[in-house]
Amino acid sequence: MAHENIKEEQWLPALDEVDIKRIGDWYVDSLRGSFVESLMTVEDEAALEFNFIGQCLILCFDTLTPPNYGNFESGAIDVFIDGKLSKTLYQRNSANEITIISEDEKKDHHIRLVHRIVDSNCGCRIQGFRILTSPCGDLSFVVSGEHNFSMTDVRAILKRDNKTIRNCLIRNWLTGQCALAGLPPGQNYSLEIIASGWNTLYEKNIQIKLNEETVLSPINLTRSHDATLGAFKFPCMGHPIFKLSEGNFRMRFKAHDSKIKEVKLIRHVGPAKISRICKFQEDVDRSGVFQGLDVDAMYLLCEGSVEIPNDIPIGLYDIEITLANKANAKRKLFSRKCVNIVNEFPVDPVFMTYGHMDVWGQGPSEYILKLIELANIVAPDMVLVSNSCNPAYVSGAMNELDVPFAINFGNHQSLGKEKWFGESIGAIDIGSNLSVINYGHTWDRDLSEVKQVLDDRSDVACKIIHTFEYGAPVKEILDAHDISLFHDAHGPGPKVISLGKTPTIRVGKVDNKSFRIIRFKNGKPNSYTYENHESAPIPFPRNELPPIRIEFDEPNDGSQTKISTKVINELNENIPNARIAFILKHGEYSADNGEIENQVVSDDKQYVVVTVRLNLPANSVETIAIS
């Protein structure tokens, strides 16, 4: 249980075999993607017994098993205090924390918890117990939100007079119930609720009363930075396009019966907004005729060509379309992280890859945010994300990535991925000599669609298949289409192996706490393991800092005219051409290390984004000062 130690508090983990006696079959388990271990049972009459001295005893459940990972815990738990049945709990409708005992003075007690199977419902998952020797009160609330079907857990940060009292993952995803139990009584508490992909919520002026439960009004989280779900067919998040400035690209979206008033390419770097208005030429007038059928025009898609202005800075952009209906009421459509403007297409591309990270909720998404922090520094040409899970949390994390990416979902996927990330089969063309085919299905199905995508790129010299599962037919797919790299994150066999006559290099996922940097040379994968090992990825334990990271000496928020930083590389390999973005007040700047790639002024002329490139030697700390 991740929480701040409170004065006069003892944490008794359920895994403690010295102070806690186990009766029956209990086993240590952790949810996939979590580094927190719990004690679990599905056996009828399995029990835990222990003694304690204190005023308050709090039972701490682990998160219910998410629906895409199996059955949730649904058994009953009888709580006996000094031999007498005190209450019966059901984890499936309880908050993560429950006060078992709350008294005015310290007392000795014997506790016995007994798991029972009720109508074939079984299972409980316990992290441990908090024992307090001081007076306390509880705080409870219900959290729901937009796209509530995708919301599992949230992070709650409780402060009092700006001091953190609790910082933990909570929420019963079946009921939305949350609780922070065993809190010191008092006023001036504030609560912060964080969930990746949702806007953070703040509650202030909370009072905790002695031996009482403070119940907040229900909390509803709104989505942040979402694309207009289902509005864009292409380009869209996870299916980006690569373009030079002064070029153009195609897009298709749902305009209904509205007129297109404005099309923008827009990106944000901290508080700095950088955008350009683009010319848009619609293919045909939406007359209400679609594929030969008379239909209501409001259901028609709009398709056309976008002209990229020649003064647009390089970078990864959103599309923003302003529409107006017949009453001239305006609304906006967004497609996020989908247009990558480059000065030139890569000759020897670099990819960062990871997969099967089990992002089912807030805890795993926080690990992905650390990977994204690292990726923004490494600045590969593209990030390949394989076999992802919950698109609502994943999209929130990926919105922080300033590198184009392809993503697919696999055997633990939540429903609705298409709303955020589009079709399961597609191709990303990076110039005329490199294509990434994103394939989000198993290989035991009709392959005509992916074959057509490959046939359309028969003249492309370097082709990559990015998929969630191993098993593509070697002759029919890999050899027939000269596939250079096959990247996946699920399936048997050697994780690095040469396949077929091409040959195709398979590079697969080893575990959910590592990543790879894949470098190409002359159209072939040249480097794809760590320290020249035959198959090892780059290790990155989930509870550690990113091995490549930035430490700023001043806030990098546009408030400074001078700023300095340390760029840390703890890996045993060089990272060439790393990228650091500085946000400063409007002005002209120079750097004492590396090379300034560009200086881009924000739309409102208040900020300038200074991008510096430099090489990071293995096991090094580089400093950069901007002034």
Short mmCIF file of all heavy atoms in Angstrom, two decimals, residues 407-438:
data_model
loop_
_atom_site.label_atom_id
_atom_site.label_comp_id
_atom_site.label_asym_id
_atom_site.label_seq_id
_atom_site.Cartn_x
_atom_site.Cartn_y
_atom_site.Cartn_z
N ILE A 407 0.31 2.20 -32.32
CA ILE A 407 -0.12 1.43 -31.17
C ILE A 407 -1.13 0.38 -31.61
O ILE A 407 -1.91 0.61 -32.53
CB ILE A 407 -0.73 2.35 -30.09
CG1 ILE A 407 -1.00 1.60 -28.78
CG2 ILE A 407 -1.99 3.04 -30.59
CD1 ILE A 407 -1.34 2.51 -27.62
N ASN A 408 -1.07 -0.78 -30.97
CA ASN A 408 -2.10 -1.79 -31.19
C ASN A 408 -2.49 -2.41 -29.85
O ASN A 408 -1.78 -2.25 -28.85
CB ASN A 408 -1.67 -2.84 -32.21
CG ASN A 408 -0.33 -3.46 -31.88
OD1 ASN A 408 -0.16 -4.08 -30.83
ND2 ASN A 408 0.63 -3.30 -32.79
N PHE A 409 -3.63 -3.08 -29.84
CA PHE A 409 -4.20 -3.64 -28.61
C PHE A 409 -4.39 -5.13 -28.81
O PHE A 409 -4.70 -5.58 -29.92
CB PHE A 409 -5.52 -2.96 -28.28
CG PHE A 409 -5.36 -1.52 -27.87
CD1 PHE A 409 -5.09 -0.54 -28.81
CD2 PHE A 409 -5.46 -1.15 -26.53
CE1 PHE A 409 -4.93 0.78 -28.44
CE2 PHE A 409 -5.29 0.17 -26.16
CZ PHE A 409 -5.03 1.14 -27.11
N GLY A 410 -4.23 -5.90 -27.71
CA GLY A 410 -4.20 -7.34 -27.88
C GLY A 410 -5.09 -8.12 -26.95
O GLY A 410 -6.25 -7.78 -26.74
N ASN A 411 -4.51 -9.14 -26.31
CA ASN A 411 -5.31 -10.14 -25.62
C ASN A 411 -5.92 -9.65 -24.32
O ASN A 411 -6.81 -10.30 -23.77
CB ASN A 411 -4.47 -11.40 -25.36
CG ASN A 411 -3.24 -11.13 -24.51
OD1 ASN A 411 -2.51 -10.17 -24.77
ND2 ASN A 411 -3.00 -11.95 -23.51
N HIS A 412 -5.49 -8.49 -23.79
CA HIS A 412 -6.12 -7.94 -22.58
C HIS A 412 -6.77 -6.59 -22.85
O HIS A 412 -6.98 -5.80 -21.93
CB HIS A 412 -5.08 -7.79 -21.46
CG HIS A 412 -4.61 -9.09 -20.89
ND1 HIS A 412 -5.43 -9.93 -20.19
CD2 HIS A 412 -3.40 -9.69 -20.94
CE1 HIS A 412 -4.75 -11.01 -19.81
NE2 HIS A 412 -3.53 -10.89 -20.26
N GLN A 413 -7.12 -6.33 -24.08
CA GLN A 413 -7.65 -5.02 -24.44
C GLN A 413 -9.03 -4.77 -23.82
O GLN A 413 -9.84 -5.68 -23.68
CB GLN A 413 -7.73 -4.87 -25.95
CG GLN A 413 -8.69 -5.83 -26.62
CD GLN A 413 -8.71 -5.65 -28.12
OE1 GLN A 413 -9.42 -4.80 -28.64
NE2 GLN A 413 -7.91 -6.46 -28.82
N SER A 414 -9.26 -3.52 -23.46
CA SER A 414 -10.59 -3.08 -23.06
C SER A 414 -11.38 -2.71 -24.30
O SER A 414 -10.82 -2.46 -25.37
CB SER A 414 -10.49 -1.86 -22.13
OG SER A 414 -9.74 -2.16 -20.98
N LEU A 415 -12.68 -2.66 -24.16
CA LEU A 415 -13.53 -2.32 -25.30
C LEU A 415 -13.37 -0.85 -25.67
O LEU A 415 -13.09 0.00 -24.83
CB LEU A 415 -14.98 -2.62 -24.96
CG LEU A 415 -15.33 -4.09 -24.68
CD1 LEU A 415 -16.79 -4.21 -24.28
CD2 LEU A 415 -15.03 -4.96 -25.90
N GLY A 416 -13.56 -0.55 -26.94
CA GLY A 416 -13.64 0.83 -27.38
C GLY A 416 -12.36 1.45 -27.87
O GLY A 416 -12.28 2.67 -28.03
N LYS A 417 -11.34 0.65 -28.16
CA LYS A 417 -10.06 1.22 -28.58
C LYS A 417 -10.18 2.04 -29.86
O LYS A 417 -9.44 3.01 -30.06
CB LYS A 417 -9.03 0.11 -28.76
CG LYS A 417 -9.31 -0.84 -29.91
CD LYS A 417 -8.25 -1.92 -30.02
CE LYS A 417 -8.44 -2.77 -31.27
NZ LYS A 417 -9.74 -3.44 -31.33
N GLU A 418 -11.11 1.64 -30.75
CA GLU A 418 -11.25 2.35 -32.02
C GLU A 418 -11.67 3.80 -31.83
O GLU A 418 -11.37 4.65 -32.68
CB GLU A 418 -12.28 1.63 -32.91
CG GLU A 418 -11.88 0.22 -33.32
CD GLU A 418 -12.26 -0.82 -32.28
OE1 GLU A 418 -12.85 -0.43 -31.24
OE2 GLU A 418 -11.97 -2.01 -32.49
N LYS A 419 -12.37 4.10 -30.75
CA LYS A 419 -12.81 5.47 -30.51
C LYS A 419 -11.63 6.41 -30.33
O LYS A 419 -11.68 7.58 -30.69
CB LYS A 419 -13.73 5.53 -29.29
CG LYS A 419 -15.06 4.81 -29.47
CD LYS A 419 -15.93 4.95 -28.24
CE LYS A 419 -17.27 4.27 -28.44
NZ LYS A 419 -18.15 4.41 -27.26
N TRP A 420 -10.56 5.89 -29.72
CA TRP A 420 -9.39 6.72 -29.49
C TRP A 420 -8.32 6.54 -30.57
O TRP A 420 -7.67 7.51 -30.95
CB TRP A 420 -8.77 6.37 -28.13
CG TRP A 420 -9.47 6.97 -26.96
CD1 TRP A 420 -9.28 8.22 -26.43
CD2 TRP A 420 -10.48 6.36 -26.16
NE1 TRP A 420 -10.10 8.42 -25.36
CE2 TRP A 420 -10.86 7.29 -25.16
CE3 TRP A 420 -11.11 5.11 -26.17
CZ2 TRP A 420 -11.82 7.01 -24.20
CZ3 TRP A 420 -12.07 4.84 -25.22
CH2 TRP A 420 -12.42 5.78 -24.25
N PHE A 421 -8.15 5.31 -31.07
CA PHE A 421 -6.98 5.02 -31.89
C PHE A 421 -7.29 4.47 -33.28
O PHE A 421 -6.40 4.01 -33.97
CB PHE A 421 -6.08 4.02 -31.14
CG PHE A 421 -5.49 4.58 -29.88
CD1 PHE A 421 -5.98 4.20 -28.64
CD2 PHE A 421 -4.47 5.51 -29.91
CE1 PHE A 421 -5.46 4.71 -27.47
CE2 PHE A 421 -3.94 6.03 -28.75
CZ PHE A 421 -4.43 5.64 -27.52
N GLY A 422 -8.53 4.52 -33.70
CA GLY A 422 -8.85 4.19 -35.08
C GLY A 422 -8.80 2.70 -35.39
O GLY A 422 -8.92 1.84 -34.52
N GLU A 423 -8.62 2.41 -36.67
CA GLU A 423 -8.71 1.04 -37.17
C GLU A 423 -7.54 0.18 -36.69
O GLU A 423 -6.47 0.68 -36.35
CB GLU A 423 -8.74 1.05 -38.70
CG GLU A 423 -9.89 1.84 -39.30
CD GLU A 423 -11.25 1.25 -38.98
OE1 GLU A 423 -11.31 0.02 -38.74
OE2 GLU A 423 -12.24 2.00 -38.96
N SER A 424 -7.77 -1.14 -36.71
CA SER A 424 -6.75 -2.08 -36.23
C SER A 424 -5.70 -2.41 -37.27
O SER A 424 -4.67 -3.02 -36.95
CB SER A 424 -7.43 -3.38 -35.77
OG SER A 424 -8.26 -3.14 -34.65
N ILE A 425 -5.93 -2.06 -38.53
CA ILE A 425 -4.96 -2.29 -39.59
C ILE A 425 -4.72 -0.98 -40.32
O ILE A 425 -5.66 -0.28 -40.70
CB ILE A 425 -5.44 -3.35 -40.59
CG1 ILE A 425 -5.70 -4.69 -39.88
CG2 ILE A 425 -4.42 -3.56 -41.70
CD1 ILE A 425 -6.25 -5.77 -40.79
N GLY A 426 -3.45 -0.64 -40.51
CA GLY A 426 -3.12 0.58 -41.22
C GLY A 426 -1.63 0.66 -41.49
O GLY A 426 -0.86 -0.22 -41.09
N ALA A 427 -1.22 1.70 -42.18
CA ALA A 427 0.19 1.87 -42.51
C ALA A 427 0.60 3.31 -42.28
O ALA A 427 -0.18 4.24 -42.54
CB ALA A 427 0.45 1.47 -43.96
N ILE A 428 1.80 3.48 -41.77
CA ILE A 428 2.41 4.80 -41.61
C ILE A 428 3.58 4.87 -42.57
O ILE A 428 4.56 4.12 -42.43
CB ILE A 428 2.88 5.05 -40.16
CG1 ILE A 428 1.68 5.00 -39.20
CG2 ILE A 428 3.58 6.39 -40.05
CD1 ILE A 428 1.57 3.73 -38.42
N ASP A 429 3.47 5.74 -43.56
CA ASP A 429 4.52 5.88 -44.57
C ASP A 429 5.43 7.04 -44.18
O ASP A 429 4.99 8.18 -44.04
CB ASP A 429 3.91 6.14 -45.94
CG ASP A 429 3.03 4.99 -46.41
OD1 ASP A 429 3.46 3.83 -46.24
OD2 ASP A 429 1.93 5.25 -46.92
N ILE A 430 6.71 6.72 -44.01
CA ILE A 430 7.70 7.73 -43.62
C ILE A 430 8.57 7.99 -44.85
O ILE A 430 9.61 7.36 -45.06
CB ILE A 430 8.54 7.24 -42.42
CG1 ILE A 430 7.61 6.79 -41.28
CG2 ILE A 430 9.47 8.34 -41.94
CD1 ILE A 430 8.33 6.18 -40.10
N GLY A 431 8.09 8.90 -45.69
CA GLY A 431 8.72 9.09 -46.98
C GLY A 431 8.34 7.96 -47.93
O GLY A 431 7.36 7.23 -47.72
N SER A 432 9.14 7.77 -48.97
CA SER A 432 8.82 6.76 -49.99
C SER A 432 9.57 5.45 -49.79
O SER A 432 9.30 4.48 -50.50
CB SER A 432 9.14 7.32 -51.38
OG SER A 432 10.51 7.69 -51.47
N ASN A 433 10.50 5.40 -48.82
CA ASN A 433 11.34 4.22 -48.66
C ASN A 433 11.15 3.48 -47.34
O ASN A 433 11.88 2.53 -47.07
CB ASN A 433 12.82 4.60 -48.81
CG ASN A 433 13.15 5.04 -50.22
OD1 ASN A 433 12.75 4.39 -51.19
ND2 ASN A 433 13.86 6.16 -50.34
N LEU A 434 10.20 3.92 -46.52
CA LEU A 434 10.01 3.29 -45.21
C LEU A 434 8.53 3.30 -44.86
O LEU A 434 7.88 4.35 -44.91
CB LEU A 434 10.81 4.04 -44.14
CG LEU A 434 10.61 3.61 -42.69
CD1 LEU A 434 11.03 2.16 -42.48
CD2 LEU A 434 11.39 4.53 -41.75
N SER A 435 7.99 2.13 -44.51
CA SER A 435 6.59 2.01 -44.09
C SER A 435 6.49 1.12 -42.86
O SER A 435 7.15 0.08 -42.78
CB SER A 435 5.73 1.42 -45.21
OG SER A 435 5.63 2.30 -46.31
N VAL A 436 5.65 1.55 -41.91
CA VAL A 436 5.34 0.75 -40.73
C VAL A 436 3.90 0.27 -40.88
O VAL A 436 2.97 1.09 -40.93
CB VAL A 436 5.51 1.57 -39.44
CG1 VAL A 436 5.07 0.75 -38.23
CG2 VAL A 436 6.95 2.05 -39.28
N ILE A 437 3.72 -1.04 -40.96
CA ILE A 437 2.38 -1.62 -41.07
C ILE A 437 1.93 -2.00 -39.66
O ILE A 437 2.57 -2.84 -39.00
CB ILE A 437 2.35 -2.84 -42.01
CG1 ILE A 437 2.46 -2.39 -43.47
CG2 ILE A 437 1.05 -3.61 -41.85
CD1 ILE A 437 3.81 -1.94 -43.91
N ASN A 438 0.87 -1.38 -39.20
CA ASN A 438 0.34 -1.62 -37.85
C ASN A 438 -0.79 -2.63 -37.97
O ASN A 438 -1.82 -2.37 -38.61
CB ASN A 438 -0.15 -0.31 -37.24
CG ASN A 438 -0.45 -0.44 -35.76
OD1 ASN A 438 0.10 -1.30 -35.09
ND2 ASN A 438 -1.31 0.42 -35.25
#
